[in-house]
């Protein structure tokens, strides 16, 4: 495994682990735990893509689907993650 693949897999594993750790916060409306709820939903939005990378199935990582899932978190919590991820993806294409 080359360095870039290892780096990507480490980040994917971290997203997957965060999804597991934060699962109790999915759907939470507790204002004191809002950060945890948003984090839980963001990790949940990306956990299937993270698993695809961990399992060596990069072809199953649909970038557009991932960004649409992130935008659903934005809609639910009034965040702007989707635009930042879109900007990141568009800057890597040029």
């Amino acid at each position: 495994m080359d360095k870039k693949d290892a780096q990507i897999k480490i980040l994917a594993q971290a997203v997957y682990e965060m999804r597991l750790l934060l699962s109790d916060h999915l759907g939470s409306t507790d204002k004191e735990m809002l950060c945890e709820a948003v984090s839980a939903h963001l990790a949940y939005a990306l956990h299937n893509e993270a698993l695809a990378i961990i399992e060596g199935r990069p072809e199953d990582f649909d970038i557009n689907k991932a960004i649409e899932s992130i935008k659903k978190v934005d809609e639910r919590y009034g965040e702007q993650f989707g635009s930042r991820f879109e900007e990141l993806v568009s800057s890597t294409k040029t």
Side-chain angles (χ1 to χ4, degrees):
M1 178 182 312
D2 71 11
K3 183 177 178 179
K4 182 179 178 182
D5 287 342
Q7 291 167 330
I8 291 168
K9 284 196 174 205
I10 288 170
L11 293 174
Q13 186 69 41
V15 169
Y16 196 79
E17 296 295 338
M18 285 185 271
R19 182 260 188 244
L20 296 174
L21 291 168
L22 292 166
S23 63
D24 289 345
H25 295 284
L26 287 170
S28 175
T29 57
D30 183 350
K31 299 251 189 251
E32 291 184 21
M33 303 292 269
L34 187 59
C35 183
E36 290 86 345
V38 174
S39 299
H41 283 272
L42 186 59
Y44 187 81
L46 295 172
H47 81 280
N48 285 328
E49 286 71 22
L51 189 57
I53 296 300
I54 293 165
E55 293 178 347
R57 301 177 289 107
E59 68 279 359
D60 291 341
F61 189 132
D62 184 327
I63 293 171
N64 293 325
K65 182 179 172 187
I67 290 175
E68 288 306 312
S69 294
I70 293 166
K71 286 181 177 181
K72 289 178 184 174
V73 177
D74 291 347
E75 291 170 14
R76 182 176 186 138
Y77 292 102
E79 298 289 341
Q80 297 297 316
F81 298 117
S83 61
R84 293 195 297 266
F85 279 84
E86 283 178 322
E87 184 178 316
L88 175 69
V89 171
S90 68
S91 69
T92 60
K93 290 181 181 178
T94 58

